[in-house]
Amino acid sequence: YKIKALHAAGVKIYLHCFCLERNQVSNELKAITEKVFLYPKNRNPLFLFSPIPMSVISRFDKKLIENITKIDAPILVEGLQSSMIINRFDLKKHKVILRLHNIESNFYAGMSKNETSFLKKTLYRIEANKYKNYQEKINQFQHVFGLSHYECEFLATQTKNWSYLPVFHGNEINNQLSEFGDFALYHGDLRLADNKKAAAFCISLFKKINHFKLIIASSNGKEFIENLIGESSNIEFVELENHDHLESLLNKAHLNILLSFQKSGTKLKIINALHRSRFCLINENMVDDERILKLCEVATTEEEFIDAINRLKSKPYLDNEIRKNTLKEVYNDAENATKITKVIWDS
């Protein structure tokens, strides 16, 4: 959606992507870029002994340097994990901007904390420790965009050249929502330990709530969720087929339950739910923008979540206009694309 918004603003984009299995570029992506370059990730186990984080060093290819140097253009690096190029090439002739996606040392520490596999827990902890040192490279970029206020507080300690730039999402507010939906919804990638923990928490809630259905939606994790559901008749796992399937579930949901056990700014899934669905019940780790927090119901303890669910399940949703105005002000893709172009070409 960032590429789409920049393309609409008249920017010509050469996109460089590191992939594990992909070797095709969609027609939709071709239509909004000048060219897309695909490179394989290098998962050499010897990289574990490098001081550079595995997620960074695995995203490098000599052809990347060749392709970038052929084009006289500024470079927008998406996340520190994509920044290996600054270690291998003199980019003084280029303006290089970083979009920080996470405070990676905190992100991987949280992954380690929530992981149940001892091996993964150890690998995530090693990655977190490597990022603590690697994050010092942030001040090598001419400018850094922070994804959330949480990240921006950190950026202020690393560089003077930073600004806030929230997520790009591609949504428009759904004006056709009726006052009541059909169920509560939790959705997320269940390969991630934090999401598995959140889904398990939701299931434990609805085992104590009568006459209200919970759907857990994901493209993976079916066996894990169905084992937790057991004999509970008001909880169901739905395997997501595609984006349209998720959008349909959001449109039909009366209540979205979204929580995280690690703090990392504002999550994209809450922005999607606010545009496409009705009530959003969250914990404070989901959002760090006070304007967005006011659009949600907030709970912390299990008791608070249960009380809120029982109250909201029979309450009509009437907040579309208030939500529409706030979201248009904060998460406007076109205006946020303009912020990028001004930093790159006007400063």
Side-chain angles (χ1 to χ4, degrees):
Y1 295 116
K2 186 188 299 94
I3 293 170
K4 189 175 181 180
L6 286 169
H7 173 74
V11 179
K12 293 182 179 180
I13 298 161
Y14 297 86
L15 180 64
H16 302 264
C17 297
F18 281 85
C19 313
L20 279 177
E21 298 176 350
R22 181 174 307 204
N23 56 18
Q24 297 291 326
V25 179
S26 69
N27 291 330
E28 290 85 354
L29 198 52
K30 287 179 181 177
I32 57 175
T33 57
E34 298 299 301
K35 189 170 182 180
V36 180
F37 302 88
L38 299 180
Y39 312 92
K41 287 183 187 176
N42 186 347
R43 293 295 183 86
N44 188 333
L46 294 178
F47 288 164
L48 286 170
F49 301 101
S50 169
I52 297 174
M54 172 68 85
S55 53
V56 176
I57 198 170
S58 64
R59 289 175 169 88
F60 183 76
D61 192 293
K62 289 182 179 179
K63 291 182 180 178
L64 173 66
I65 300 295
E66 294 175 14
N67 291 329
I68 282 182
T69 52
K70 290 176 183 177
I71 303 164
D72 183 16
I75 301 167
L76 178 60
V77 174
E78 286 291 340
L80 266 182
Q81 67 271 23
S82 301
S83 67
M84 189 61 193
I85 189 171
I86 67 171
N87 301 295
R88 296 287 178 86
F89 185 65
D90 184 0
L91 293 171
K92 290 179 180 177
K93 295 181 180 179
H94 296 263
K95 188 166 190 176
V96 188
I97 310 280
L98 172 67
R99 174 63 182 277
L100 191 70
H101 289 181
N102 287 296
I103 303 172
E104 300 293 352
S105 57
N106 291 357
F107 175 76
Y108 280 99
M111 293 280 283
S112 176
K113 181 180 178 181
N114 290 322
E115 184 55 63
T116 55
S117 162
F118 177 76
L119 177 60
K120 289 184 178 180
K121 183 182 285 288
T122 302
L123 292 174
Y124 288 146
R125 173 55 62 184
I126 292 171
E127 193 80 344
N129 290 337
K130 288 182 179 181
Y131 266 115
K132 284 181 181 179
N133 295 322
Y134 190 77
Q135 284 163 176
E136 295 177 358
K137 294 184 178 291
I138 285 173
N139 63 17
Q140 294 184 20
F141 295 89
Q142 282 96 326
H143 194 90
V144 184
F145 292 113
L147 189 66
S148 70
H149 296 296
Y150 173 66
E151 273 86 17
C152 287
E153 288 174 6
F154 169 74
L155 282 178
T157 69
Q158 305 294 311
T159 178
K160 295 180 181 178
N161 303 311
W162 64 270
S163 57
Y164 172 54
L165 186 74
V167 294
F168 288 75
H169 53 86
N171 288 298
E172 293 183 8
I173 200 79
N174 187 341
N175 290 315
Q176 308 301 317
L177 294 176
S178 59
E179 293 182 2
F180 288 93
D182 300 326
F183 47 78
L185 175 67
Y186 173 83
H187 73 278
D189 183 349
L190 294 176
R191 291 172 296 182
L192 301 178
D194 185 50
N195 288 345
K196 290 172 73 174
K197 190 174 180 181
F201 179 79
C202 290
I203 290 170
S204 71
L205 294 176
F206 276 78
K207 286 186 175 182
K208 300 174 183 177
I209 294 172
N210 297 318
H211 311 300
F212 195 35
K213 183 177 182 178
L214 169 68
I215 287 180
I216 306 284
S218 181
S219 58
N220 45 66
K222 180 178 180 180
E223 183 177 355
F224 167 75
I225 294 299
E226 290 185 342
N227 285 336
L228 291 177
I229 292 172
E231 300 298 320
S232 301
S233 59
N234 64 323
I235 309 173
E236 177 187 353
F237 176 81
V238 172
E239 192 162 5
L240 288 175
E241 299 169 4
N242 49 41
H243 177 76
D244 289 342
H245 188 194
L246 174 58
E247 186 172 317
S248 174
L249 290 172
L250 288 168
N251 290 169
K252 294 175 183 177
H254 186 68
L255 171 63
N256 295 269
I257 303 176
L258 301 164
L259 67 151
S260 175
F261 292 93
Q262 60 187 79
K263 185 177 181 181
S264 58
T266 298
K267 311 292 192 297
L268 180 57
K269 67 173 71 176
I270 185 64
I271 306 306
N272 291 334
L274 286 169
H275 279 91
R276 297 292 181 182
S277 197
R278 298 172 182 80
F279 293 110
C280 292
L281 174 59
I282 67 171
N283 68 353
E284 288 190 342
N285 286 347
M286 292 299 299
V287 177
D288 73 349
D289 190 313
E290 290 295 328
R291 294 164 294 181
I292 303 304
L293 204 60
K294 290 178 182 178
L295 301 177
C296 306
E297 298 278 342
V298 182
T300 302
T301 65
E302 181 181 275
E303 183 179 346
E304 288 172 351
F305 270 95
I306 290 173
D307 288 345
I309 293 166
N310 283 326
R311 173 169 48 84
L312 293 171
K313 68 183 184 181
S314 56
K315 181 179 178 179
Y317 172 70
L318 304 169
D319 297 338
N320 234 34
E321 202 60 33
I322 295 172
R323 187 181 285 187
K324 178 180 180 180
N325 293 335
T326 301
L327 291 171
K328 186 176 181 180
E329 176 187 347
V330 182
Y331 291 104
N332 187 311
D333 282 359
E335 289 184 8
N336 288 328
T338 300
K339 290 179 183 178
I340 295 179
T341 61
K342 285 183 176 179
V343 166
I344 292 178
W345 285 286
D346 295 351
S347 59

